[in-house]
């Protein structure tokens, strides 16, 4: 069994070690499944033909009487339901419809008749027990019709962040049942002025922005920077352990900073203030960073190694070239240039050398983001009508579609690591907030609720 | 985009003025036995309108209706001795420099902007030790990412004009804040016009 890797840090919840323990499934004890299916398919729960499987996730059962264990049990069930709902691979039966179904007393005593009556194809049963300083969480996914367990795991760890157990189960269930890489354990980063701190220097009305991180669903929002300066455009490293961002903390001049957010070490400044540098974008393999700089007189694109070595210029044009983003393979860069008069999206090989190819045709386009395989798509923010909206460009066909339609200003899209979702900033509910939305424009979720929040990035 | 509650923002910007306005409201309201209106009227928009208002829009000066009761301690531009003795923070809180305004998605300095820059250059010549940062700003309608480069272009345009008027380049640095620090949080054409600006901050004296 792989041991999930966890991010432990001063800034992000102090999670104690969290280890997947013995997960040998006691499936052998179960009666053999009804024999009309080939054995490889036995573990996949299906729904009625043409419809997604219907799943239920009742509250997990606390086997210990203390309040923390009971709260953890309740939280895990609710969060797991939410995580599974997010990917829309299952029809998640609303939790308030099965409050009257009695809890399972053990994995051997599940009231399958009631779950069948409810119409569930699958039900996820869990038990939470206090063990020493932490908890043990046992989870099984049952095929309601065959009454067999198709997934059985046990996790041990701290009780302080029960959501992490739910996220882990959700990712593993998505992988096992649907062959899908879930995003329940990924994180978002963004900048926010929520603390209302003012910039130094006497000029009135200047709220600083600081960098924050949050779980993909908006839980556990934590501040990363404490500088009382402008900190903007954070992006995740490929391993999710560092953030690169633009900060004005030194001499009120923008430069690229890298914070290893789980180590408590001072941020690195690979460019050490040479020129003004902003809008970093990390290559998919984590070795290089593309950024914008005016070091040669006007805004151009540059690429450097992570440690600041080997800075090389990628564009050379008297117009503005900015906002770089890498293709998933790291061989191309999409960026914004106003060489045609207004800002538009262009593609260029990551090694340069070829004239950029324009792909947008709106009156203003910026902040391209490239979806990973199997989606060869680029989303960007474009001025359509009187507001900015999110458009998605299919690189192969050249077709464009739109997923926001004038509800406030919609900017700074970024794809989730599985390409199925987009995080973006929108003013649709008044202030500037971070939202996530499906790549089909459905399933909108609001991530932030306080202050103004900008320019999200989604960890890999 | 950033729309903090206007009261602290205004109070900070024009403390004495706001107090006077609130006092006036309180007095008026007391007569009618109603609670005082807690929110002073926003700064008025001067005559100009539309995207071309950049050419006529006023710099961040005290708003019109309170002119009748100006705070007595406010120094004037001609109060040279006072300017020279003020701290950097005080200088930048009520800057002797006027801002230069730009049209939408443009960095051209028009006649009004040239006049402002000439006046600013005179102040810089008078206080020859001052080092000034030219900040480029944008309105909120463009995207945050591109606006950072656009603001940089505006700052450079203003700086280059000041250099052409004889201000040594080493006394001028530039920085862009894109749309991060709007002067006017409003969402009107007038507010946008006031936010598309080059702003001058004394960074050393």
């Amino acid at each position: 069994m792989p041991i999930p890797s966890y991010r432990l840090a001063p800034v992000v919840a102090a999670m104690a070690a969290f280890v997947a323990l013995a997960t040998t499934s006691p499936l052998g004890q179960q009666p053999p499944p009804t024999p009309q299916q080939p054995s490889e398919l036995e573990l996949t729960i299906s729904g009625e033909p043409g419809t997604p499987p219907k799943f239920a996730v009742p509250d997990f059962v606390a086997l210990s009487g203390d309040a923390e264990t009971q709260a953890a049990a309740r939280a895990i069930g609710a969060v797991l339901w939410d995580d599974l709902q997010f990917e829309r691979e299952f029809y998640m039966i609303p939790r308030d419809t099965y409050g009257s179904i009695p809890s399972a007393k053990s994995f051997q005593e599940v009231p399958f008749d009631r779950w069948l009556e409810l119409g569930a194809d699958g039900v996820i049963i869990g038990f939470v027990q206090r063990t020493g300083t932490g908890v043990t969480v046992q989870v099984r996914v049952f095929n309601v019709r065959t009454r067999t367990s198709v997934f059985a795991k046990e996790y041990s760890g701290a009780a302080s962040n029960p959501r992490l157990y739910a996220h882990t189960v959700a990712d593993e269930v998505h992988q096992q049942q649907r062959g899908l890489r879930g995003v329940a354990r990924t994180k978002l980063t963004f900048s926010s002025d929520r603390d209302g701190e003012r910039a130094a220097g006497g000029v009135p009305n200047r709220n600083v922005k600081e960098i924050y991180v949050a779980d993909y669903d908006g839980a556990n929002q934590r501040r990363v920077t404490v500088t009382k300066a402008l900190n903007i455009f954070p992006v995740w490293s490929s391993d999710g352990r560092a953030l690169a961002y633009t900060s004005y903390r030194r001499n009120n001049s923008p430069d690229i900073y890298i914070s290893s957010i789980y180590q408590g070490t001072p941020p690195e400044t690979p460019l050490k203030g040479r020129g003004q540098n902003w809008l970093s974008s990390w290559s998919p393999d984590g070795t290089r960073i593309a950024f914008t700089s005016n070091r040669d007189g006007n805004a151009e694109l540059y690429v450097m190694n992570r440690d600041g070595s080997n800075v090389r210029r990628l564009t050379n044009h008297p117009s503005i070239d900015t906002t770089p983003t890498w293709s998933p393979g790291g061989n191309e860069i999409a960026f914004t240039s106003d060489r045609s008069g207004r800002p538009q999206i262009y593609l260029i090989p990551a090694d340069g050398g070829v004239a950029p190819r324009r792909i947008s045709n709106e009156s203003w386009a910026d902040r391209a983001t490239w979806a990973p395989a199997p989606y060869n798509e680029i989303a960007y923010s474009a001025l359509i009508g009187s507001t900015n909206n999110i458009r998605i460009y299919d690189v192969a066909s050249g077709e464009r579609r739109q997923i926001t339609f004038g509800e406030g200003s919609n900017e700074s899209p970024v794809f989730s690591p599985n390409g199925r979702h987009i995080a973006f900033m929108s003013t649709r509910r008044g202030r500037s907030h971070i939202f996530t939305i499906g790549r089909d424009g459905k399933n909108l979720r609001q991530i932030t609720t306080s202050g103004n929040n900008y320019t999200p990035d989604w960890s890999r | 985009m950033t729309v903090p509650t206007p009261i602290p923002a205004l109070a900070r910007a024009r403390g004495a003025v706001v107090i006077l306005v609130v006092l006036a409201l309180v007095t008026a309201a007391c007569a009618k036995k109603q609670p005082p209106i807690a929110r002073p009227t926003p700064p008025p928009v001067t005559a100009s309108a539309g995207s071309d208002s950049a050419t006529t829009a006023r710099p961040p000066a005290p708003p019109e209706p309170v002119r009748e009761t100006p705070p007595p301690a406010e120094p004037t531009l001609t109060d040279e001795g006072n300017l020279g003795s003020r701290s950097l923070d005080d200088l930048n809180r009520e800057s002797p420099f006027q801002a230069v305004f730009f049209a939408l998605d443009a960095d051209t300095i028009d006649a009004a902007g040239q006049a402002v820059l000439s006046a600013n250059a005179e102040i810089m010549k008078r206080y020859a030790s001052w080092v000034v940062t030219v900040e480029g700003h944008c309105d909120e309608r463009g995207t945050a990412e591109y606006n950072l480069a656009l603001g940089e272009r505006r700052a450079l345009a203003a700086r280059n004009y000041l250099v052409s008027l004889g201000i040594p380049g080493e006394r001028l640095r530039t920085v862009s804040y894109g749309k991060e620090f709007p002067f006017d949080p409003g969402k009107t054409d007038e507010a946008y016009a006031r936010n598309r600006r080059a702003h001058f901050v004394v960074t050393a004296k």
Side-chain angles (χ1 to χ4, degrees), chain A residues 346-382:
Chain A
Y346 292 78
L347 306 185
I348 193 173
D351 297 325
V354 176
R357 176 166 72 94
R358 175 173 159 181
I359 63 166
S360 62
N361 61 1
E362 295 82 5
S363 59
W364 185 302
D366 195 11
R367 176 78 185 242
T369 174
W370 214 312
Y375 311 106
N376 191 16
E377 294 179 330
I378 295 172
Y380 56 93
S381 179

Side-chain angles (χ1 to χ4, degrees), chain A residues 441-452:
Chain A
K442 297 175 182 163
N443 202 19
L444 180 79
R445 289 190 181 193
Q446 183 167 348
I447 300 300
T448 59
T449 52
S450 69
N452 289 289

Side-chain angles (χ1 to χ4, degrees), chain A residues 171-223:
Chain A
D171 282 350
E172 294 185 356
V173 167
H174 274 130
Q175 187 64 53
Q176 190 229 22
Q177 290 290 309
R178 314 296 294 178
L180 169 70
R181 197 211 142 167
V183 296
R185 282 173 292 180
T186 59
K187 291 183 183 298
L188 298 169
T189 181
F190 50 88
S191 70
S192 177
D193 68 359
R194 64 183 60 182
D195 293 315
E197 293 172 352
R198 295 297 177 127
V203 182
N205 298 340
R206 292 192 167 179
N207 274 344
V208 302
K209 296 187 174 86
E210 302 278 7
I211 306 297
Y212 287 74
V213 296
D215 294 352
Y216 89 100
D217 57 4
N220 294 320
Q221 301 200 11
R222 314 256 169 177
R223 178 168 162 178

Side-chain angles (χ1 to χ4, degrees), chain A residues 201-202 205-207 209 233 248 251-252 276 278 294 320 323 338 342 364 366-367 388 411-412 432 454, chain B residues 1 9 89 93 105 135 137 141-143 145-146 148-149 152-153 173-177 179-181:
Chain A
N205 298 340
R206 292 192 167 179
N207 274 344
K209 296 187 174 86
F233 308 134
Y248 288 68
N251 304 325
N252 281 318
Q276 294 185 344
W278 65 95
N294 63 3
I320 287 171
T323 326
D338 63 0
R342 303 297 294 273
W364 185 302
D366 195 11
R367 176 78 185 242
N388 297 301
E411 302 178 39
S412 305
S432 299
Y454 306 90
Chain B
M1 195 128 321
D89 278 7
R93 193 167 290 121
D105 197 21
E135 302 176 347
H137 297 269
R141 288 172 296 178
T143 44
E145 294 86 354
Y146 172 82
L148 219 47
E152 189 239 353
R153 210 150 63 178
R173 61 182 290 270
T174 58
V175 67
S176 172
Y177 288 115
K179 63 174 178 177
E180 307 300 325
F181 290 144

Side-chain angles (χ1 to χ4, degrees), chain A residues 208-265:
Chain A
V208 302
K209 296 187 174 86
E210 302 278 7
I211 306 297
Y212 287 74
V213 296
D215 294 352
Y216 89 100
D217 57 4
N220 294 320
Q221 301 200 11
R222 314 256 169 177
R223 178 168 162 178
V224 171
T225 57
V226 189
T227 64
K228 300 197 177 185
L230 201 54
N231 299 277
I232 49 180
F233 308 134
V235 289
W236 289 103
S237 64
S238 53
D239 65 1
R241 301 192 58 83
L243 295 172
Y245 53 96
T246 304
S247 178
Y248 288 68
R249 70 185 62 167
R250 196 173 301 153
N251 304 325
N252 281 318
S253 180
D255 198 9
I256 310 294
Y257 289 70
I258 298 177
S259 287
S260 297
I261 59 172
Y262 300 104
Q263 286 171 13
T265 50

Side-chain angles (χ1 to χ4, degrees), chain A residues 104 154 167 200 208 224 284 371 408 418:
Chain A
E154 180 176 307
H167 293 333
V208 302
V224 171
N418 66 7

